Amino acid sequence: MTVESTAARKPRRSSKRVSAKKPPAEQTELVQLLTPEGERVEHSEYSIDLSHDELRGLYRDMVMTRCFDAEATTLQRQGELGLWASLLGQEAAQIGSARALRDDDYVFPTYREHGVAWCRGVDPTNLLGMFRGVNNGGWDPNSNNFHLYTIVIGSQTLHATGYAMGVAKDGADSAVIAYFGDGASSQGDVNEAFTFSAVYNAPVVFFCQNNQWAISEPTERQTRVPLYQRAQGFGFPGVRVDGNDVLACLAVTKAAVERARRGEGPTLVEAFTYRMAAHTTNDDPSKYRNEDEYESWKSKDPIERFRTYLSNEGIADQDYLDAVEAEAEQLGKRVRDAVRTMPDPDTMAIFENVYADGHALVDEERAQFAAYQASFAEEGN
Amino acid sequence: MTVESTAARKPRRSSKRVSAKKPPAEQTELVQLLTPEGERVEHSEYSIDLSHDELRGLYRDMVMTRCFDAEATTLQRQGELGLWASLLGQEAAQIGSARALRDDDYVFPTYREHGVAWCRGVDPTNLLGMFRGVNNGGWDPNSNNFHLYTIVIGSQTLHATGYAMGVAKDGADSAVIAYFGDGASSQGDVNEAFTFSAVYNAPVVFFCQNNQWAISEPTERQTRVPLYQRAQGFGFPGVRVDGNDVLACLAVTKAAVERARRGEGPTLVEAFTYRMAAHTTNDDPSKYRNEDEYESWKSKDPIERFRTYLSNEGIADQDYLDAVEAEAEQLGKRVRDAVRTMPDPDTMAIFENVYADGHALVDEERAQFAAYQASFAEEGN
Amino acid sequence: MSSIEKMTLSKALNVSLRTALENDPKVVIMGEDVGKLGGVFRVTDGLQKDFGEDRVIDTPLAESGIVGTAIGMALRGYRPVVEIQFDGFVFPAYDQIVTQLAKMHARALGTVKMPVVIRIPYGGGIGAVEHHSESPESLFAHVAGLKIVSPSNASDAYWMLQQAIECDDPVIFFEPKRRYWDKGEVDTSAIPGPLHQARVVRGGTDLTLAAYGPMVKTCLEAAAAAAEEGKSVEVLDLRSVSPLDFDGIQKSVERTRRLVVVHEAPVFFGSGAEIAARITERCFYHLEAPVLRVGGFHAPYPPARLEEEYLPGLDRVLDAVDRALAY
Amino acid sequence: MSSIEKMTLSKALNVSLRTALENDPKVVIMGEDVGKLGGVFRVTDGLQKDFGEDRVIDTPLAESGIVGTAIGMALRGYRPVVEIQFDGFVFPAYDQIVTQLAKMHARALGTVKMPVVIRIPYGGGIGAVEHHSESPESLFAHVAGLKIVSPSNASDAYWMLQQAIECDDPVIFFEPKRRYWDKGEVDTSAIPGPLHQARVVRGGTDLTLAAYGPMVKTCLEAAAAAAEEGKSVEVLDLRSVSPLDFDGIQKSVERTRRLVVVHEAPVFFGSGAEIAARITERCFYHLEAPVLRVGGFHAPYPPARLEEEYLPGLDRVLDAVDRALAY
Ligand SMILES: Cc1ncc(C[n+]2csc(CCOP(=O)(O)OP(=O)(O)O)c2C)c(N)n1
Ligand SMILES: Cc1ncc(C[n+]2csc(CCOP(=O)(O)OP(=O)(O)O)c2C)c(N)n1
Ligand SMILES: [Mg+2]
Ligand SMILES: [Mg+2]
């Protein structure tokens, strides 16, 4: 028996897909407050009114984040980090959404939310610990209400939902935000998070950065309709926002967060953006995507467009831009120095924090290993 | 710190739910071809044109199934079965959907699809093996293209999707149908099946019997919008059909199956029905639901309404109805006898079929156990 | 003031949950059918009625979701006690348990705690259909970050659950479902011993039988039968699978010089393997026979009509005792 | 006609997959990034280009879905070879593997077969972040219905994968990722030995080191180092974890009278436990020392900068050898 191809079905299938997909999505469904050319436009549902200070702040956040990210990539090339997952191109999605939050809100990131971490006040060098291989998560989640980076795709969405259920139980009006990617949308856990959050009306915002790639797989391998539409099937609203438009990301996230505060339950925000860099420093995108796509997205760069807007509107002058640049360089230097002097963990850290209340076997193995190590020291004497 | 209730959020939450739910759903969204009073109505999208023989056949299927089911319940009470999961009330959903299939289509059931099994030609006594505890699945799935009963909620939906991917690969125009319950809709696996089937455009029909209960939990614990709407978020159509209307179930399933054959991919059918019996013979529904609900659904009984229709239209006379009744009693008797004489499995069956290609440890344990057992025989001598 | 009462093991669990809900407002119960129904084994019977839907939460039918949201609630300061309906249905939650729940405390360098209890009715002997009779404890014991316990009687059921809920680590609490209806005395004002310590439930000098959960009773019966034949068999109720009380086992084996480990779970890669390996290392010069294991076969749990022969019963335990004594 | 070629272990896997795709139209490859990218380790490099998207299938990012649909395809007559991207990401698929894949053949009373191979790059030593360095084989070995193998060299990689794909049972194929770049000779026209048989890769008389996958190389190095000190250490490449070749181990241990088992996975409830328990039972009167185990600690796999000390290396193996010989 030979294996026939599915060709017979394919033409219909792909024609189906084309008709169901992008053209309407990108144009009519996408919330945008700033065009790629840096022109401010209004949206019927989402508006925003920020002071010049606040606007400049968003710019600064994005520049600082990008600079930090570039520094980390360099540090990886120099062997100071084992790996780096760059957020290049996703600054607007991250800064916009994160700046919609209050301090008492809680964030559940993936492994790529360096911009969000920045807004939460997490020291950037802290983010590098796990990429350098000195720990598996280098900060106390509760000091900035910013949970640890989560690598197992999608699992944090359930933690966010549970946390939000707890918030509701406490009668607090905080909101919770869960970040995840387009690839993650396929995981059972993410869909269970949709179910639980809807059923319990949990105050959580699902913020999906659709950067159009899950390593080498384009979003069509995960869904045949725009991802924001997924929410409707679970009974809560979904909205697609221009992920390279920091103002729109802020406005849309703010609206979602406020819904959550008002007790109206979850919202899915799909930030339509693009992963400008490789998946991680281990990855070689030339294997699976072409230069054209990259170029077309370069012209939609989130920082460029925002700078154009700020300059055109006279909100930021060259001095300000230069000052931010200088500050970013300072940050880069600080991070560089900090990483290079970051101490390796003590070997015995292997046995630390395995349990909060202790475990006899860990104690036994710790003691044995210490004795084993001491035997070398003795030999060395 | 005290735990406040979520009361502050609750009013809004529940008002939200009410407005989003049943009233419109049941009336405007529900596909119906036969009213609870047995009156034939037309539907703009779904029609059906069956011969009198075919119509009588559907009636016979439902009556035979119900009778078999009742017999199994009795056998459980008598201790002949360890457990029984009754389909009482769901006959129309099962017979209607199953009669929409061709022999070369493939069925993936839960543990309650006795009516579907009947339509596929599986000998009813075969279904009882696992409930009697003589096996974990008593038939060859390929002899009737009816897969084994699956107990781990939702997992068969992925098997169905994979099978359908294989069908497409073979270039065949068969369809696959996956049965599952309202509770199952919450499982990650079911949602992953939606994703895979959509992405690969697999020829599969997801047939959800929303019998409104997952053991003691009402459907509101699984979703706050009607379940058929879930499909849309994954990019394929969902439709809600009156699950107590055998004609509508047949028409809607047939349309979905034909879509699959034409290479248009998956469809979700939600058959809105009611679990008239306990979850299983172990369950006591009086703990969690009230008599009223039961009574109101009794008046929508799928067999009653179909009989009324057949009688009113002169499609079946009393002789026919009596003949079916008699045949059903025969079936009951046959099943009763078969179960009572069903042999217990041989002890050594424990070691059979663990592997297809053998495994040294199984061989070793089999031999040891045989020797151990033989030692008693010797002692006995 | 005495507070000793005779009750079934499942009732003891129910009372223990009630006490926990009363004592700590952060304790919440989550699971399928734990509310109005009170769980399929009635272990949470009446709790939702008395503590409300906010404390006793019926969840959607999704085990990964249950454990995943429990983790989130623990991060928020709650102490969720999660019910998995049957042993065979814990696997959809396996990823959340193994990659998240078990590792969160370490990942956070100790800054967050994971006081989550996962209750799982486990084991066979109740004539159930597939997936309702398994003993998956080994699949969790290998994973660092989890604690695993299993009571064998009503008193332990009450107290060990109290201790599990008070523990700041995730505890998988395996309930011996075929012993749910066994009655025993529970003293709710006693001071319990350490959660992870084995207990000698019958003294003996010729051989040690080590078991936990449902097999403790079987071992006691076997020891009684052996006594009639003049063999003095000690029975250890291990109570905890992670950590295992190797000190306690060693102490017993140094006296009896023979050890048989009994569990329902398959022998291959089961608890008996770990116990045999470590005790052999610790007691190499004491052991007069290899540590023998009695347990399930390397086969799926069989249909109900075969379980009596599949499950380690009196005869198979005694057979192992005889074999060990024959060395 | 000779067909011997020197290639890396990962290349041998690639060639093996290519051969399987050529020989059997029912073989399909499924996984995340297995298509254009050729997998994150390039094991499927070039295969989609040559065999098309219908044979080499990029899947949605959902491991349960991958294994679940592979089961369905196997039911339809296909022979899916599934790739899980890293060890730590197999757990979302655990339920499908344990409750469905492993049990389907038995559930169907033998009427259906489950020829599904699950390839998992596993183990540490590559300086990766969390979840990318684990060795979860024990968590599968306890489950009946699965077969578990792990090659240690290029030739075995090629042949064992051929055999796994030909096998009508589900096989979990653990690939020692830190050995992917090690070169070895592969004779693609040889006649391979049985898939589940251990192999003596270095003869010796004083002690047996048993290992599989990545640790075989370490054990060979340890044996060489021991030889310099005048100790004759035999090294067994177990190759298969389920079934374990107890006959092969026993034969070796009856000669050497001492056994040390080495694996990266945590010792507690690891393969070493099962081997120690059973070999002690089989060779009770032969063993001059308890079976010792060298492996991971009961702790999450540590961050990369600690893995050198965490992983069993030459020194820790030699330490165990010395301890065993000291008895
Ligand atoms: C459960 C699981 N499976 C596989 C992986 C390997 N992996 C890491 S990132 C990634 C792609 C994620 O794509 P997406 O969700 O779109 O996020 P992005 O990386 O684009 O930000 C994969 C497959 C993982 N980390 N976890
Ligand atoms: C993974 C899993 N979790 C829990 C159960 C226990 N269980 C058996 S049936 C059932 C309810 C199923 O409800 P639904 O999907 O609506 O199907 P119905 O029984 O109503 O036909 C539950 C929770 C199970 N079988 N599998
Ligand atoms: Mg992405
Ligand atoms: Mg139901």
Side-chain angles (χ1 to χ4, degrees):
Chain A
M1 181 173 187
T2 65
V3 178
E4 292 179 47
S5 109
T6 56
R9 288 161 190 272
K10 263 185 185 155
R12 275 186 230 115
R13 202 191 303 176
S14 42
S15 65
K16 195 91 200 156
R17 265 203 213 127
V18 171
S19 70
K21 265 199 56 190
K22 290 184 183 168
E26 274 187 56
Q27 283 141 33
T28 70
E29 297 163 332
L30 197 72
V31 177
Q32 199 175 67
L33 296 180
L34 201 62
T35 69
E37 293 73 35
E39 205 178 317
R40 186 75 168 74
V41 290
E42 292 304 322
H43 189 279
S44 55
E45 267 184 75
Y46 299 95
S47 65
I48 200 159
D49 187 22
L50 298 177
S51 72
H52 285 192
D53 259 7
E54 287 169 321
L55 289 166
R56 281 189 297 261
L58 293 175
Y59 177 76
R60 174 174 171 272
D61 289 339
M62 291 201 287
V63 171
M64 297 294 273
T65 299
R66 179 170 291 186
C67 177
F68 161 71
D69 185 77
E71 188 61 45
T73 301
T74 305
L75 286 166
Q76 195 280 336
R77 294 224 179 87
Q78 295 170 347
E80 296 289 342
L81 301 180
L83 184 81
W84 183 245
S86 168
L87 69 7
L88 191 68
Q90 301 178 213
E91 295 86 354
Q94 295 195 12
I95 302 299
S97 58
R99 285 300 176 201
L101 306 176
R102 292 195 320 221
D103 282 355
D104 63 313
D105 295 336
Y106 213 99
V107 175
F108 287 84
T110 70
Y111 40 81
R112 207 189 284 288
E113 267 64 78
H114 321 312
V116 182
W118 166 262
C119 295
R120 298 306 288 176
V122 176
D123 186 329
T125 56
N126 274 356
L127 302 178
L128 301 177
M130 68 174 260
F131 291 101
R132 186 173 167 87
V134 305
N135 59 45
N136 289 328
W139 57 91
D140 173 359
N142 289 321
S143 24
N144 303 83
N145 282 10
F146 184 77
H147 190 64
L148 299 163
Y149 276 180
T150 299
I151 292 177
V152 177
I153 299 290
S155 46
Q156 76 281 2
T157 57
L158 281 169
H159 310 158
T161 301
Y163 194 96
M165 288 161 61
V167 167
K169 249 179 232 315
D170 292 342
D173 76 342
S174 312
V176 178
I177 187 166
Y179 288 86
F180 62 103
D182 44 310
S185 68
S186 296
Q187 283 286 7
D189 272 9
V190 174
N191 293 281
E192 292 188 10
F194 292 165
T195 286
F196 276 67
S197 65
V199 163
Y200 296 118
N201 208 39
V204 58
V205 177
F206 296 107
F207 194 89
C208 175
Q209 287 170 82
N210 179 355
N211 63 10
Q212 301 186 61
W213 292 94
I215 309 187
S216 75
E217 298 192 13
T219 311
E220 295 89 78
R221 286 287 90 182
Q222 317 292 343
T223 180
R224 62 186 199 186
V225 288
L227 280 172
Y228 76 93
Q229 294 180 10
R230 178 77 54 86
Q232 213 180 323
F234 289 88
F236 57 91
V239 52
R240 178 180 265 197
V241 60
D242 182 340
N244 286 15
D245 171 351
V246 69
L247 297 180
C249 287
L250 202 166
V252 165
T253 310
K254 206 173 185 88
V257 163
E258 278 161 10
R259 272 193 86 241
R261 288 193 211 300
R262 287 196 305 269
E264 291 170 23
T267 307
L268 169 62
V269 178
E270 178 194 4
F272 196 73
T273 178
Y274 190 74
R275 197 194 76 207
M276 297 290 284
H279 170 68
T280 65
T281 45
N282 272 347
D283 179 41
D284 172 12
S286 74
K287 280 234 157 204
Y288 54 82
R289 70 182 188 187
N290 62 36
E291 202 57 19
D292 294 359
E293 191 181 274
Y294 175 85
E295 288 303 328
S296 104
W297 276 91
K298 216 170 144 62
S299 70
K300 299 181 197 159
D301 187 277
I303 299 189
E304 291 302 322
R305 88 165 72 166
F306 198 54
R307 181 170 30 223
T308 306
Y309 165 67
L310 294 184
S311 299
N312 287 354
E313 300 292 317
I315 300 166
D317 58 14
Q318 195 55 43
D319 281 357
Y320 180 80
L321 302 179
D322 291 347
V324 169
E325 220 58 58
E327 194 189 357
E329 256 171 58
Q330 274 308 106
L331 172 66
K333 188 179 161 354
R334 179 164 76 79
V335 166
R336 202 153 54 235
D337 294 347
V339 166
R340 292 199 173 131
T341 57
M342 200 179 270
D344 277 358
D346 182 76
T347 305
M348 298 314 282
I350 290 170
F351 305 96
E352 295 314 309
N353 301 313
V354 182
Y355 294 90
D357 287 353
H359 189 281
L361 179 61
V362 175
D363 295 340
E364 183 180 330
E365 291 188 342
R366 184 196 290 109
Q368 281 169 351
F369 193 63
Y372 164 76
Q373 288 213 301
S375 73
F376 286 96
E378 280 158 32
E379 275 175 34
N381 277 348
Chain B
M1 181 174 190
T2 65
V3 178
E4 292 178 46
S5 107
T6 55
R9 288 160 191 271
K10 262 184 186 154
R12 277 186 229 115
R13 203 191 305 178
S14 43
S15 65
K16 194 91 202 156
R17 266 205 210 123
V18 171
S19 70
K21 263 199 59 192
K22 288 183 184 169
E26 274 188 58
Q27 283 141 34
T28 70
E29 296 162 334
L30 197 73
V31 177
Q32 198 176 66
L33 298 180
L34 201 63
T35 69
E37 294 73 35
E39 205 178 317
R40 186 75 167 76
V41 291
E42 292 305 321
H43 189 277
S44 55
E45 267 184 75
Y46 299 95
S47 64
I48 201 160
D49 187 21
L50 299 177
S51 71
H52 285 191
D53 260 6
E54 286 168 322
L55 288 166
R56 281 191 296 263
L58 293 175
Y59 177 76
R60 174 175 171 271
D61 289 338
M62 291 199 288
V63 171
M64 298 294 274
T65 298
R66 180 171 288 187
C67 178
F68 162 70
D69 185 78
E71 187 61 45
T73 300
T74 305
L75 286 165
Q76 195 280 336
R77 294 225 180 87
Q78 295 170 347
E80 296 289 342
L81 301 180
L83 184 80
W84 183 244
S86 168
L87 68 8
L88 192 68
Q90 301 178 213
E91 295 86 353
Q94 295 195 13
I95 303 298
S97 58
R99 285 301 176 201
L101 306 175
R102 292 195 320 222
D103 283 354
D104 61 314
D105 295 336
Y106 213 100
V107 175
F108 286 84
T110 71
Y111 41 81
R112 208 188 284 285
E113 266 64 78
H114 321 312
V116 182
W118 165 262
C119 295
R120 298 304 289 174
V122 177
D123 186 329
T125 56
N126 275 355
L127 301 178
L128 301 177
M130 68 174 259
F131 291 101
R132 186 172 167 87
V134 305
N135 59 45
N136 289 328
W139 56 91
D140 174 358
N142 290 320
S143 23
N144 303 84
N145 282 9
F146 185 77
H147 190 65
L148 299 163
Y149 276 180
T150 299
I151 292 177
V152 178
I153 299 290
S155 47
Q156 76 281 2
T157 57
L158 281 168
H159 310 156
T161 301
Y163 194 96
M165 287 162 62
V167 167
K169 251 180 230 313
D170 293 342
D173 76 341
S174 312
V176 178
I177 187 165
Y179 288 87
F180 63 103
D182 45 309
S185 69
S186 296
Q187 283 286 6
D189 271 11
V190 173
N191 293 282
E192 293 189 10
F194 292 165
T195 286
F196 276 67
S197 65
V199 163
Y200 296 118
N201 207 40
V204 58
V205 178
F206 295 107
F207 195 88
C208 176
Q209 286 169 81
N210 179 354
N211 62 10
Q212 301 186 61
W213 292 94
I215 309 186
S216 74
E217 299 192 13
T219 312
E220 295 89 79
R221 286 285 91 182
Q222 318 292 342
T223 180
R224 63 185 200 186
V225 288
L227 279 172
Y228 75 94
Q229 294 180 10
R230 179 76 55 86
Q232 213 180 323
F234 289 87
F236 57 90
V239 52
R240 179 180 265 197
V241 61
D242 183 340
N244 286 15
D245 171 352
V246 69
L247 297 180
C249 287
L250 202 166
V252 166
T253 309
K254 206 175 186 84
V257 163
E258 277 161 10
R259 273 193 85 242
R261 289 195 210 299
R262 287 195 306 269
E264 291 170 21
T267 306
L268 170 62
V269 178
E270 178 194 4
F272 196 74
T273 178
Y274 189 74
R275 197 194 74 207
M276 298 289 285
H279 170 68
T280 65
T281 45
N282 272 348
D283 179 41
D284 172 11
S286 74
K287 280 233 156 206
Y288 53 83
R289 70 183 189 188
N290 64 35
E291 201 58 19
D292 295 358
E293 190 181 275
Y294 176 86
E295 288 303 329
S296 105
W297 277 90
K298 217 171 143 65
S299 70
K300 300 181 196 158
D301 187 276
I303 299 188
E304 290 303 322
R305 87 165 74 167
F306 198 54
R307 181 171 31 225
T308 307
Y309 165 66
L310 295 185
S311 298
N312 288 353
E313 300 292 317
I315 300 166
D317 57 14
Q318 196 55 44
D319 282 357
Y320 180 80
L321 301 179
D322 290 348
V324 169
E325 221 57 61
E327 193 189 359
E329 257 172 57
Q330 274 308 107
L331 173 66
K333 188 179 163 351
R334 180 164 76 79
V335 165
R336 202 153 54 236
D337 294 347
V339 166
R340 291 197 173 132
T341 57
M342 200 180 269
D344 277 359
D346 183 76
T347 304
M348 298 314 282
I350 290 172
F351 304 97
E352 295 315 308
N353 301 313
V354 183
Y355 294 90
D357 288 352
H359 188 282
L361 179 62
V362 176
D363 295 341
E364 184 180 329
E365 290 188 341
R366 184 196 290 110
Q368 282 170 351
F369 192 62
Y372 165 76
Q373 288 212 300
S375 74
F376 287 96
E378 280 159 30
E379 277 174 31
N381 278 348
Chain C
M1 186 200 77
S2 161
S3 45
I4 303 178
E5 233 184 288
K6 199 159 178 156
M7 57 181 89
T8 61
L9 195 153
S10 65
K11 180 70 185 171
L13 294 168
N14 179 268
V15 174
S16 190
L17 289 172
R18 177 175 292 275
T19 306
L21 285 164
E22 275 164 3
N23 290 350
D24 186 347
K26 289 301 187 187
V27 170
V28 292
I29 290 174
M30 304 169 64
E32 296 156 10
D33 307 294
V34 297
K36 270 193 187 161
L37 182 63
V40 293
F41 288 108
R42 307 296 186 267
V43 171
T44 58
D45 199 31
L47 299 179
Q48 189 182 66
K49 188 163 150 282
D50 293 346
F51 295 91
E53 291 190 26
D54 253 22
R55 305 283 309 278
V56 182
I57 306 169
D58 269 334
T59 63
L61 207 177
E63 287 77 7
S64 190
I66 296 171
V67 174
T69 54
I71 290 171
M73 291 188 48
L75 290 170
R76 179 74 191 179
Y78 286 85
R79 305 183 85 85
V81 183
V82 156
E83 175 174 307
I84 298 291
Q85 202 158 73
F86 281 92
D87 34 68
F89 306 138
V90 69
F91 302 115
Y94 198 71
D95 176 57
Q96 283 286 348
I97 295 172
V98 166
T99 73
Q100 304 302 315
L101 183 63
K103 297 185 172 65
M104 198 68 86
H105 180 68
R107 189 179 295 149
L109 299 176
T111 57
V112 300
K113 289 173 179 166
M114 279 290 121
V116 177
V117 176
I118 301 183
R119 295 180 38 243
I120 311 181
Y122 84 123
I126 63 159
V129 294
E130 207 188 347
H131 311 291
H132 291 70
S133 306
E134 298 169 8
S135 300
E137 64 273 17
S138 286
L139 302 173
F140 296 94
H142 187 54
V143 179
L146 304 175
K147 291 175 173 172
I148 295 153
V149 300
S150 182
S152 69
N153 58 69
S155 174
D156 271 359
Y158 177 87
W159 280 112
M160 289 170 70
L161 186 52
Q162 288 291 307
Q163 294 171 307
I165 295 171
E166 275 161 24
C167 177
D168 277 336
D169 294 307
V171 179
I172 317 234
F173 193 89
F174 282 104
E175 302 174 359
K177 70 168 87 82
R178 65 166 145 151
R179 308 296 182 212
Y180 270 148
W181 303 275
D182 287 4
K183 284 193 171 177
E185 280 187 351
V186 178
D187 180 352
T188 54
S189 67
I191 294 164
L195 178 57
H196 301 289
Q197 201 169 75
R199 182 188 297 137
V200 178
V201 287
R202 179 188 174 109
T205 54
D206 299 339
L207 180 145
T208 301
L209 275 176
Y212 49 87
M215 296 314 293
V216 172
K217 188 176 177 186
T218 307
C219 287
L220 283 169
E221 288 165 4
E228 287 178 19
E229 300 173 12
K231 300 161 195 160
S232 169
V233 170
E234 175 148 314
V235 180
L236 261 189
D237 182 349
L238 297 174
R239 301 171 73 249
S240 174
V241 175
S242 180
L244 277 162
D245 182 5
F246 291 120
D247 292 346
I249 308 172
Q250 179 176 357
K251 212 151 87 190
S252 173
V253 171
E254 282 176 358
R255 280 190 290 101
T256 65
R257 296 174 169 261
R258 286 179 172 85
L259 174 63
V260 174
V261 186
V262 185
H263 49 65
E264 287 190 22
V267 164
F268 193 60
F269 282 77
S271 315
E274 180 59 40
I275 295 170
R278 205 162 299 240
I279 292 301
T280 305
E281 191 178 338
R282 287 197 182 194
C283 307
F284 190 64
Y285 293 121
H286 285 93
L287 283 169
E288 311 238 354
V291 177
L292 297 186
R293 299 176 286 165
V294 183
F297 303 112
H298 190 66
Y301 195 91
R305 298 217 167 207
L306 290 177
E307 69 180 341
E308 218 182 289
E309 329 225 27
Y310 173 90
L311 285 170
L314 196 61
D315 286 333
R316 275 176 62 207
V317 175
L318 288 172
D319 173 66
V321 167
D322 289 347
R323 281 188 289 124
L325 288 172
Y327 272 83
Chain D
M1 190 199 76
S2 158
S3 45
I4 302 179
E5 233 185 287
K6 198 159 178 157
M7 59 181 88
T8 62
L9 195 153
S10 66
K11 180 69 185 171
L13 294 168
N14 178 270
V15 173
S16 191
L17 289 172
R18 178 175 290 276
T19 306
L21 285 164
E22 275 164 2
N23 290 350
D24 185 347
K26 289 301 187 188
V27 170
V28 292
I29 290 172
M30 302 169 66
E32 295 157 9
D33 307 294
V34 297
K36 270 194 186 159
L37 182 63
V40 294
F41 289 107
R42 308 295 187 267
V43 171
T44 57
D45 199 31
L47 299 180
Q48 189 182 66
K49 189 164 149 279
D50 294 345
F51 295 91
E53 291 190 28
D54 253 22
R55 306 284 308 280
V56 182
I57 306 170
D58 269 333
T59 63
L61 207 178
E63 287 77 7
S64 190
I66 296 171
V67 174
T69 55
I71 291 171
M73 292 190 46
L75 289 170
R76 179 73 190 180
Y78 285 85
R79 305 184 85 85
V81 182
V82 155
E83 175 173 308
I84 297 291
Q85 202 158 74
F86 280 92
D87 33 70
F89 306 139
V90 69
F91 302 115
Y94 197 71
D95 175 57
Q96 283 286 348
I97 295 172
V98 166
T99 72
Q100 305 303 315
L101 184 63
K103 297 186 172 64
M104 198 69 86
H105 180 68
R107 189 178 295 149
L109 300 175
T111 58
V112 300
K113 289 173 178 167
M114 278 290 122
V116 176
V117 175
I118 300 182
R119 295 180 37 243
I120 309 181
Y122 84 123
I126 63 159
V129 294
E130 206 188 349
H131 311 291
H132 292 70
S133 306
E134 298 169 9
S135 300
E137 66 273 15
S138 285
L139 302 173
F140 297 93
H142 188 54
V143 179
L146 304 174
K147 290 176 172 171
I148 295 153
V149 300
S150 181
S152 69
N153 59 69
S155 174
D156 271 359
Y158 177 86
W159 279 112
M160 288 170 70
L161 186 52
Q162 289 291 306
Q163 294 171 307
I165 295 171
E166 276 161 24
C167 176
D168 276 337
D169 292 309
V171 179
I172 317 233
F173 194 89
F174 281 105
E175 302 175 358
K177 69 167 87 83
R178 65 167 145 150
R179 307 298 182 210
Y180 270 148
W181 303 275
D182 287 4
K183 284 193 173 179
E185 280 187 352
V186 178
D187 180 353
T188 54
S189 67
I191 294 165
L195 177 57
H196 302 289
Q197 201 169 76
R199 183 189 295 137
V200 178
V201 288
R202 179 187 174 111
T205 53
D206 299 340
L207 179 146
T208 302
L209 277 176
Y212 49 85
M215 295 315 292
V216 173
K217 188 177 176 184
T218 306
C219 287
L220 283 169
E221 289 165 4
E228 287 178 19
E229 300 173 12
K231 299 161 195 161
S232 170
V233 170
E234 176 149 312
V235 180
L236 260 188
D237 182 351
L238 296 174
R239 301 171 74 249
S240 175
V241 176
S242 180
L244 277 162
D245 182 4
F246 291 118
D247 292 346
I249 309 172
Q250 180 177 354
K251 213 151 86 190
S252 173
V253 171
E254 282 176 359
R255 279 192 290 102
T256 65
R257 296 173 169 262
R258 286 180 171 85
L259 174 63
V260 174
V261 186
V262 185
H263 49 65
E264 287 190 22
V267 163
F268 192 61
F269 282 77
S271 316
E274 180 59 41
I275 296 170
R278 206 162 299 240
I279 291 301
T280 305
E281 191 178 339
R282 287 196 182 195
C283 307
F284 190 64
Y285 292 121
H286 285 93
L287 283 169
E288 312 236 354
V291 177
L292 298 186
R293 298 177 287 165
V294 183
F297 303 112
H298 191 66
Y301 195 91
R305 297 214 167 209
L306 291 177
E307 69 180 341
E308 218 181 291
E309 330 226 27
Y310 173 90
L311 285 170
L314 196 59
D315 286 334
R316 275 176 61 208
V317 175
L318 287 173
D319 173 65
V321 167
D322 288 348
R323 282 188 288 125
L325 288 171
Y327 273 82

